[in-house]
Amino acid sequence: MTRLTIRRGGTRRLRATLYADLAAGDRRDLTGLSALVVDQSPNIEVPAVTIRSPPNLGEIEVLWTDEQTAHLKPGAGRVWLSIGLENGEGEREVLPVFTFDVV
C-alpha cells in the first residue's frame, strides 16, 4: 500500500513505477495497455490516470487538480484508489490499492 498526503485545495500528482522484476530493477513495459480507475473512495473526484511516455519505463501518473481537492475537509481521514491496466482485448489487471491521507 502506498500512502501520500493530499492537501485540501492543492494539486496532487502521484507517479508510480511498475516493475516486472523489482529485485533486478526491470521496469514493466506498458506498451499497448491503458490505465483506468477501477474503484475509489467516494469523497473525492476521479483523478486523471495515464501511462507516462515512454511506456517501456513502466510509469503511471495519477493527478488530482486543485478543484478536485478543494471540497475535502481537513482531517477527513483517508482517500483510497484502485487502478487497473487493460489491454486491447479488454483483459484487466488490478494494481494494488493506493491510500492517501487527507490533511
Side-chain angles (χ1 to χ4, degrees):
M1 207 168 350
T2 299
R3 290 208 171 131
L4 176 74
T5 298
I6 294 182
R7 296 200 182 279
R8 182 176 175 272
T11 297
R12 176 52 73 190
R13 185 183 313 265
L14 166 72
R15 289 186 180 149
T17 302
L18 307 177
Y19 290 92
D21 184 344
L22 183 58
D26 294 335
R27 294 173 179 224
R28 181 165 171 194
D29 189 341
L30 303 179
T31 302
L33 300 176
S34 58
L36 58 130
V37 174
V38 175
D39 199 8
Q40 70 154 46
S41 180
N43 59 340
I44 192 168
E45 290 184 48
V46 178
V49 181
T50 56
I51 294 173
R52 298 193 71 218
S53 186
N56 63 346
L57 292 183
E59 295 179 351
I60 60 170
E61 181 174 86
V62 179
L63 175 66
W64 280 283
T65 63
D66 295 352
E67 295 80 22
Q68 289 175 298
T69 61
H71 73 280
L72 288 172
K73 304 216 182 316
R78 293 211 164 94
V79 168
W80 49 267
L81 174 71
S82 296
I83 297 174
L85 296 173
E86 191 172 69
N87 65 18
E89 286 79 47
E91 295 170 324
R92 187 178 288 181
E93 172 188 354
V94 178
L95 301 177
V97 174
F98 297 97
T99 301
F100 307 89
D101 292 309
V102 178
V103 293

